[in-house]
Amino acid sequence: MRLWDLTPSAALIALLAAPEISSAFYLPGVAPTSYKPGDLVPLHVNRLTPIGSNIDGTLRSVVSFDYYHPAFHFCRPKPEPKHVAESLGSIIFGDRIMSSPFELKMGVNETCKSLCTEKFDQSSSHFVNRRIAQGFALNWLIDGLPAGQLIEDEVTKTKFYSQGFALGQNDEQDMHLNNHYDILIDYHEVTPGQLRVVGVIVQPDSRRSQKDGEGDAQGSCGIGGPPLTLNENGETEVQWTYSVYWRPSATAWATRWDKYLHVFDPKIHWFSLINSAVIVVFLTITVFSVLVRALKKDIQRYNRLDSINLDDLSGTSAAIEDGVQEDSGWKLVHGDVFRTPKHPLILSVFLGNGAQLFVMAGFTIVFALLGFLSPSNRGSLGTIMILLYTLLGFIGGYVSARVYKTLGGEKWKLNIGLTPLLVPGIVFSTFFLLNLFLWAKQSSGAVPFTTMLVIVGIWFLISVPLSFAGSWVGFRQPAISAPVRTNQIPRQIPPSSTYMRPIPSMLLVGILPFGAIFVELYFIMSSIWFSKVYYMFGFLFICYCLMIITCAAVTILMVYFLLCSENYHWHWRAFLTAGASAGYVFANALIYWITKLHLGGFVGSVLYIGYSLLISFLFFILTGTIGYFASWAFVQKIYGSIKID
Ligand SMILES: *[C@@H]1O[C@H](CO)[C@@H](O)[C@H](O)[C@H]1NC(C)=O
C-alpha cells in the first residue's frame, strides 16, 4: 500500500509500525475509546449540510442548518440539548455539535425504538420539503465517526461510506421525509470485553404508519408500508424511530477512517498529477537552460565589451562592431532597475503578508502530511491554520519592514501599522459581511458572535504585537544593498511589443501556476462545497511545490524579457503577473458554479462568490509574493555579475 492511499493517521501509524508501541503516540482528541458491552456509546448530532441533489448530482444550496432548528422537529434530549466542546477551527468551518436523545448500548441490538412524536405545521412542512429537494443530509457522529451511507463508486466498483445520510427522498412527484433510521455499527474487539467503534452506516427510511411498532420491541416499524409525505396544507404527525444493529468487524481502529476516504479514483488522480508534474518540470528545465545560456552569453559579452572599452585596445573592429550592434538589452537599464517603484508601501505590505501566508501554507501542509491533522481530530486543520497565521505575524512584519526599507520607503510608521491590518482587515470584513447574510438566513453556518470576538481578540492581542515586533527588528537591519548604483535621471522606456504589455503578459504568465494546481483545486472545491473530507495532503504537497516552481520560473522569464525590452518597472509587474493566476482560480470557481452548482437563492450565490473572491485574493497575494521574490533574487544576481564602471 502506498503511503498516499492511507489516511494521515493511518500513515503515521504505518510509519511507527507496531500498533502497541504507536498507541503511546496517539494525539489528543484521536485516542481510541474502548467500551464494555452494554456501555452507552454517544451519538452526537452536527448541523445539516447540503450534499447535492440525488437526481443530477448538482449542489443546490451552500447554507447549512442547526440540527435543532425548530422547523425540523427532531427529537430533543431531556432536559436540553447540550453543546459539545469544539475547537476554533471546527466552529469557523461550520461544525455545530450537540447531544442527542439516541441511546446506543454497545453490542446490544435493538429494533424499532420510538424516540418521540412531533406535529409538523404547514410552514415547517414547507421548510423541510424545500430542504429535501435541495438534498440536505444529516450529520451524526458516533464515537467521533461520521455516520454515512454505503455507496458504490461507478468507476472503480469500490464501496465507500459517504459522509452524512439523506434527510429525505425526492421522487418525481413527492418529498418523503426519512423518519426511521437503521443504524448499523461495526465494532472491533481488541481484547475480550474491550470493544471499539470502527464503522457507522445509517440507512434512513420513510414510513407513514408505525403504530404497530410503538414501544414494542417486536414491532416492524411500518416496514414495507407507504412512505411519509409532509402535508403543506395541514398538520402531519410524525413518529421518529430507530433500530440499532451491532456487527463484529475485523477493521482495526487505526484504519477506521479509510472507508470514508476512498472517494475519488486514485488512479485518475495519480495520472493527472504525474501529467502536470512532467509538464511543469519539462517547462522549467527548458526555461532555465535557455535563460542560463542567454544570460551567460550576455554577461560574457558585456564584460568583454567593458574590458575593450576600458583598455582602449585597438582590438578587432569586429568585436566593437558587434558591441555597438548589440549594445542593447537588460544591461542598459542598470541605472534604473533598483529605482523605487510606485507605491512601495502597498507593495511591501502585500509582500509581508504574502510571506506570512507562504510559510503558513507550507507548515500546514507538512503538518497534515505527517498525520497531525487527521480527519478524526475535527477542525484541527482550521485551528492550526489560524494559529500559524497568528504566530507568523512576526515574519509578516519583518519581511514588510525589510522590503520597505530596501525599496527606499520613508513612511515607516504607516508600514508598521498597515502590515498586520490591511490584508487581515480585508479578509475579516469580507468574512463578517458574508456572515451577516447567514445570520439573516438563520443558518447554522453563521459564526457565533462570541467566536468573532475571539478571532478579533487573537488578531489584536497576539498577531498585531508580533507583527510590530517583526517590523521593529526588520527596520533595525540595514537595507539590502543593490549591486549597481541608480542614476539620477530616469531612462526613457521604449514602446513595448504587444505581449509585453501588462494585461497580455499577466494572462500569459498566470495560466501556468494555475495549471500546476488545477487538478488539486477541483478536489479542494468539492471538499469545501460538498462537505467531503479532504485528506490527500501528499498530492497537495507535491502540487504546492510544483506551483512554487512554476510561479518562480515563469515570472523570472517574464522579467528577463521585460528588462531586455529596456523596461525597468519590474517590481509591480513581477508581483502582478505571478498573482494573475488568482484570476484563473476565480474564473475556475465561476465555471464550477455554472456546471456543478444550481444555487437558486440570492444568498447562496452571494456566499459562493464572496468566498471564492476571498480565496482568490489570498491566492493572489501568495503567488504574487513568490513571483516577486524569485524575480528579485534573479535581478540581484544578474546585475551583480556584470561589471559597470
Ligand atoms: C445484531 O444484528 C446484527 C445484524 O443483523 C447481527 O449480525 C448480530 O449477530 C446481532 N447481534 C446480536 C447480539 O444479536
Side-chain angles (χ1 to χ4, degrees):
M1 208 174 195
R2 284 180 305 253
L3 210 55
W4 315 115
D5 287 350
L6 297 165
T7 68
S9 64
L12 181 68
I13 287 155
L15 283 174
L16 295 174
E20 290 94 297
I21 300 168
S22 69
S23 65
F25 293 99
Y26 284 130
L27 298 155
V30 289
T33 319
S34 299
Y35 299 89
K36 285 194 268 310
D39 279 0
L40 270 186
V41 179
L43 190 161
H44 292 141
V45 290
N46 200 349
R47 62 184 175 148
L48 276 81
T49 49
I51 53 166
S53 145
N54 58 348
I55 294 176
D56 53 5
T58 57
L59 195 66
R60 288 163 190 276
S61 174
V62 291
V63 178
S64 55
F65 290 95
D66 249 333
Y67 186 83
Y68 292 115
H69 187 293
F72 288 119
H73 292 280
F74 289 127
C75 306
R76 294 165 155 265
K78 301 270 171 333
E80 267 303 299
K82 279 200 268 307
H83 276 283
V84 174
E86 288 178 63
S87 64
L88 183 63
S90 168
I91 295 174
I92 289 177
F93 281 76
D95 281 343
R96 300 288 176 275
I97 305 175
M98 314 271 271
S99 60
S100 79
F102 292 89
E103 283 182 355
L104 312 179
K105 296 197 192 92
M106 175 54 96
V108 181
N109 283 356
E110 279 176 297
T111 41
C112 217
K113 284 194 78 173
S114 173
L115 269 182
C116 67
T117 307
E118 289 276 336
K119 273 205 176 66
F120 279 68
D121 56 18
Q122 294 178 12
S123 67
S124 303
S125 298
H126 178 71
F127 178 87
V128 173
N129 282 343
R130 286 267 305 148
R131 301 289 92 80
I132 295 173
Q134 289 175 334
F136 269 74
L138 271 68
N139 294 289
W140 288 357
L141 294 166
I142 295 174
D143 187 46
L145 208 56
Q149 273 176 301
L150 193 65
I151 293 176
E152 194 180 73
D153 190 320
E154 287 141 30
V155 187
T156 54
K157 297 275 173 260
T158 49
K159 291 203 170 79
F160 64 91
Y161 292 3
S162 72
Q163 282 228 53
F165 53 91
L167 169 69
Q169 295 144 34
N170 176 5
D171 67 16
E172 299 299 285
Q173 304 109 29
D174 273 322
M175 308 295 159
H176 304 308
L177 175 67
N178 290 329
N179 61 332
H180 174 84
Y181 309 112
D182 280 327
I183 308 172
L184 310 175
I185 308 180
D186 297 325
Y187 64 91
H188 179 71
E189 190 157 19
V190 200
T191 52
Q194 291 240 323
L195 313 175
R196 287 173 181 174
V197 176
V198 294
V200 180
I201 302 178
V202 172
Q203 290 164 345
D205 200 6
S206 178
R207 294 168 187 188
R208 187 181 302 164
S209 162
Q210 306 202 354
K211 284 294 174 230
D212 58 347
E214 208 167 358
D216 173 9
Q218 254 62 52
S220 65
C221 270
I223 193 164
L228 173 83
T229 306
L230 293 178
N231 183 0
E232 292 190 25
N233 304 314
E235 284 200 340
T236 318
E237 194 167 280
V238 174
Q239 191 185 10
W240 298 97
T241 53
Y242 68 97
S243 304
V244 193
Y245 304 101
W246 297 85
R247 306 182 299 185
S249 158
T251 310
W253 188 87
T255 56
R256 66 178 192 163
W257 272 89
D258 289 7
K259 289 190 285 294
Y260 293 89
L261 304 182
H262 283 291
V263 181
F264 309 113
D265 187 349
K267 272 205 207 82
I268 294 173
H269 206 159
W270 269 111
F271 178 74
S272 50
L273 185 78
I274 289 170
N275 211 3
S276 60
V278 167
I279 293 171
V280 165
V281 170
F282 179 74
L283 200 97
T284 314
I285 291 174
T286 318
V287 164
F288 267 102
S289 57
V290 169
L291 200 59
V292 164
R293 203 168 305 156
L295 277 172
K296 247 194 204 133
K297 237 169 83 193
D298 288 349
I299 291 168
Q300 262 172 16
R301 200 182 69 226
Y302 289 154
N303 289 346
R304 193 177 66 224
L305 276 174
D306 238 34
S307 60
I308 290 167
N309 291 343
L310 267 186
D311 304 344
D312 200 27
L313 293 170
S314 56
T316 53
S317 59
I320 293 172
E321 233 166 63
D322 186 36
V324 172
Q325 218 174 52
E326 293 194 47
D327 195 14
S328 62
W330 52 270
K331 191 193 173 186
L332 287 179
V333 290
H334 67 81
D336 296 278
V337 270
F338 293 101
R339 194 178 292 289
T340 303
K342 281 185 200 147
H343 315 297
L345 182 66
I346 301 293
L347 183 62
S348 61
V349 167
F350 277 176
L351 290 171
N353 278 279
Q356 198 176 341
L357 276 176
F358 177 74
V359 180
M360 180 206 76
F363 269 122
T364 309
I365 295 172
V366 169
F367 276 160
L369 197 61
L370 293 177
F372 288 104
L373 310 175
S374 85
S376 53
N377 206 350
R378 283 189 91 82
S380 53
L381 184 66
T383 312
I384 206 87
M385 266 160 56
I386 293 167
L387 211 72
L388 279 173
Y389 190 79
T390 308
L391 295 180
L392 291 170
F394 185 84
I395 292 192
Y398 178 80
V399 171
S400 173
R402 207 80 216 270
V403 169
Y404 192 58
K405 193 165 179 181
T406 304
L407 292 181
E410 274 148 18
K411 299 177 209 143
W412 59 273
K413 275 187 200 152
L414 214 53
N415 173 273
I416 292 179
L418 279 183
T419 304
L421 295 181
L422 184 68
V423 173
I426 292 173
V427 172
F428 183 79
S429 35
T430 317
F431 183 63
F432 186 78
L433 276 179
L434 294 176
N435 213 44
L436 288 182
F437 281 99
L438 285 172
W439 265 326
K441 259 244 153 175
Q442 292 186 317
S443 159
S444 77
V447 174
F449 193 68
T450 44
T451 312
M452 285 280 183
L453 285 183
V454 170
I455 298 173
V456 174
I458 291 176
W459 179 14
F460 279 95
L461 297 180
I462 307 175
S463 192
V464 171
L466 277 175
S467 172
F468 285 174
S471 297
W472 186 75
V473 174
F475 273 119
R476 284 180 56 103
Q477 307 246 319
I480 298 160
S481 61
V484 285
R485 242 181 305 120
T486 301
N487 293 340
Q488 210 85 90
I489 301 150
R491 231 180 101 90
Q492 282 277 328
I493 298 173
S496 52
S497 54
T498 323
Y499 66 91
M500 285 313 287
R501 296 218 177 95
I503 301 287
S505 69
M506 278 164 74
L507 288 177
L508 274 175
V509 171
I511 197 161
L512 291 162
F514 169 73
I517 56 156
F518 171 69
V519 179
E520 215 48 42
L521 203 60
Y522 175 80
F523 291 108
I524 293 176
M525 304 248 283
S526 51
S527 83
I528 293 176
W529 299 111
F530 284 82
S531 330
K532 286 178 180 156
V533 207
Y534 186 84
Y535 62 96
M536 293 159 290
F537 291 104
F539 286 109
L540 190 62
F541 179 72
I542 298 172
C543 277
Y544 191 59
C545 295
L546 287 180
M547 187 199 75
I548 295 170
I549 297 169
T550 349
C551 228
V554 288
T555 318
I556 287 175
L557 191 67
M558 203 272 315
V559 167
Y560 175 73
F561 284 139
L562 191 75
L563 295 174
C564 282
S565 68
E566 296 166 38
N567 185 341
Y568 51 84
H569 291 316
W570 63 272
H571 293 86
W572 273 105
R573 188 65 83 84
F575 189 85
L576 292 176
T577 40
S581 49
Y584 285 97
V585 170
F586 186 67
N588 182 53
L590 290 183
I591 293 171
Y592 192 81
W593 187 36
I594 294 164
T595 55
K596 289 268 171 189
L597 313 176
H598 282 245
L599 307 175
F602 170 72
V603 172
S605 308
V606 167
L607 285 173
Y608 182 79
I609 300 287
Y611 280 117
S612 300
L613 273 175
L614 198 60
I615 293 168
S616 305
F617 173 65
L618 292 177
F619 193 72
F620 166 71
I621 303 269
L622 176 69
T623 46
T625 303
I626 296 170
Y628 178 85
F629 281 115
S631 310
W632 177 80
F634 171 73
V635 171
Q636 285 270 339
K637 184 105 190 105
I638 60 169
Y639 286 95
S641 47
I642 52 170
K643 285 193 224 114
I644 287 155
D645 27 291

